[in-house]
Amino acid sequence: MGCIMAKTILITGASRGIGRELARQAVAAGAEVTGTARDPSQVADPPCPMVTCDVSDPASLAPLADGPPLDLLICNAGQFLVRGPLEDPRHSAEAWRTVLMTNVAGVFFTVQTLIRRLRAAEGAKIAVISSVMGSSARASGGSSLYRASKAGATNLAVSLASELQPDGIAVGAYHPGWVRTDMGGGDADISTKESAAGLLTRFELLSTETSGVFEDYAGRPIPF
């Protein structure tokens, strides 16, 4: 189980995969966790209280603005719709809108909505679940839409780290590893348990001194 000291945590996209396991481990460690899902009624045996939320819609996020101080915000909600090359017809305008609005704008809208609660906490943190596929230094072609969205999410995390430094809020971007989930597939390297445990440890080590970091679940730095 990962190390976690945050008392109050909000995790977007907590209905399955990495988000669900992050919530499960954080609850087991004693944290008060709230998760979001586009349709909580479809979540069997939820690991924590779940609220209806579409991160690409500020109006959907608005009810989350009111609440107690928030120690840790984990921006995990994401979409991966097209894995093919440039010519893949699924790279439609609608696919671009959906993925960019969720993976990039969704992070911005979530932080924008919850910033008052983060500022009310002492030493609050924001963890953006990105991907090594968002690294310009490691771009290998294909899956252009997802790569562009994760590059945007990482850039946004670094920008927010600078903007929120005076507030004492630390921000980091994290690659969860290639994880065996619906998105990662059954042939992936690691389990959700291993990824979530590593990520929670990284979040615990995040501070204003390391704010702006881009690293993987094991703490290995990723060139951006």
Side-chain angles (χ1 to χ4, degrees):
M1 183 180 298
C3 176
I4 188 71
M5 294 292 290
K7 296 178 181 178
T8 57
I9 304 174
L10 191 145
I11 305 172
T12 64
S15 62
R16 59 181 182 171
I18 298 166
R20 181 185 180 91
E21 183 60 22
L22 284 167
R24 189 193 70 78
Q25 292 192 24
V27 168
E32 182 179 338
V33 183
T34 301
T36 77
R38 282 176 290 178
D39 186 358
S41 69
Q42 299 299 309
V43 182
D45 191 22
C48 65
M50 303 286 289
V51 297
T52 302
C53 179
D54 178 351
V55 298
S56 69
D57 179 7
S60 178
L61 282 159
L64 297 174
D66 294 324
L70 185 61
D71 296 312
L72 173 61
L73 168 62
I74 304 175
C75 296
N76 172 72
Q79 298 261 18
F80 193 167
L81 299 184
V82 188
R83 300 175 186 272
L86 182 68
E87 296 85 356
D88 192 319
R90 293 174 297 171
H91 278 121
S92 64
E94 182 58 29
W96 276 89
R97 279 191 291 269
T98 298
V99 173
L100 292 179
M101 285 298 292
T102 302
N103 296 5
V104 186
V107 173
F108 179 86
F109 292 145
T110 301
V111 175
Q112 186 182 56
T113 299
L114 292 163
I115 190 60
R116 182 192 63 78
R117 294 176 59 187
L118 289 160
R119 285 178 172 143
E122 183 177 352
K125 304 176 185 185
I126 300 169
V128 177
I129 303 303
S130 183
S131 170
V132 69
M133 292 177 72
S135 168
S136 300
R138 296 187 182 178
S140 59
S143 301
S144 297
L145 173 49
Y146 187 74
R147 291 180 186 278
S149 74
K150 288 304 183 180
T154 302
N155 181 277
L156 178 58
V158 174
S159 177
L160 289 171
S162 177
E163 181 173 350
L164 299 178
Q165 183 83 14
D167 295 319
I169 298 174
V171 187
Y174 299 89
H175 170 53
W178 186 20
V179 187
R180 292 188 291 274
T181 63
D182 291 343
M183 183 182 292
D187 294 329
D189 292 333
I190 62 173
S191 67
T192 55
K193 289 184 179 180
E194 184 178 354
S195 174
L199 288 169
L200 289 172
T201 297
R202 302 323 304 169
F203 304 162
E204 181 60 28
L205 293 172
L206 177 64
S207 68
T208 51
E209 286 72 34
T210 61
S211 192
V213 69
F214 182 26
E215 61 187 14
D216 74 2
Y217 71 101
R220 292 172 290 232
I222 298 174
F224 182 51

